[in-house]
Amino acid sequence: MSRPGGSAAKAAGFTLLEAIVALVVFSMGAFALYGWLSTNMITLERIRDRQEIEAAMHSALDMVRRTNPMETPSGERQAGHLLVSWTSVPVEPARPNVGQSGTPAIFNVGLYDANVRVLRDGKELGVFRVRQVGWKQVRAVGDDS
């Protein structure tokens, strides 16, 4: 039986125009979703790169902190693919260390500024400056002179 005012074939399914409109709407949504996903992947990659740089900088700081700038005012160390180089300059001249009782201790100490450069596979990751204490033993333990 046919409906009044129309044919049975007309009411049976989608027209070609409706299918095209549905595909266009779906495609626009898919492109927006792809753009959002692509942006998130780029951001995630940048975060990973930054985390690797931060870890390398922390390793470099640890290497420099373990050096005595009074004995080794400049130098470089290699750790895997990481190359750390530094140059220290005195901020305060070396002077005798004083113990809690006010008596001279066994070390002379000085304050140094170290300029540190960090490279990985020949590419510079960063440069930073750190202030640290240098020391040199000048008296034996128990020597009161």
Side-chain angles (χ1 to χ4, degrees), residues 3 17 33 48 59 65 68 70 84 87 93 96 100 104 117 123-124 132 134:
R3 294 184 169 179
L17 182 60
L33 184 62
R48 283 186 189 147
S59 294
R65 287 283 190 198
N68 181 353
M70 195 175 284
V84 178
T87 304
Q100 290 180 349
R117 187 170 176 227
K123 179 184 171 195
E124 186 174 282
Q132 64 185 37

Side-chain angles (χ1 to χ4, degrees), residues 34-49:
Y34 176 75
W36 174 75
L37 184 62
S38 176
T39 301
N40 285 341
M41 293 302 291
I42 291 168
T43 302
L44 182 62
E45 190 63 33
R46 286 182 184 164
I47 289 170
R48 283 186 189 147
D49 289 345

Side-chain angles (χ1 to χ4, degrees), residues 59-126:
S59 294
L61 178 60
D62 189 46
M63 280 186 210
V64 171
R65 287 283 190 198
R66 292 173 187 263
T67 63
N68 181 353
M70 195 175 284
E71 287 181 357
T72 314
S74 63
E76 62 182 33
R77 288 195 181 155
Q78 182 88 30
H81 298 286
L82 198 64
L83 176 68
V84 178
S85 61
W86 69 91
T87 304
S88 300
V89 292
V91 175
E92 289 288 328
R95 59 181 69 168
N97 184 26
V98 178
Q100 290 180 349
S101 63
T103 59
I106 64 172
F107 293 101
N108 279 352
V109 295
L111 190 60
Y112 291 81
D113 270 340
N115 294 312
V116 183
R117 187 170 176 227
V118 184
L119 297 122
R120 183 187 306 136
D121 298 326
K123 179 184 171 195
E124 186 174 282
L125 296 180

Side-chain angles (χ1 to χ4, degrees), residues 14-27:
F14 289 107
T15 65
L16 182 58
L17 182 60
E18 289 171 326
I20 291 173
V21 169
L23 282 173
V24 167
V25 169
F26 174 77
S27 297

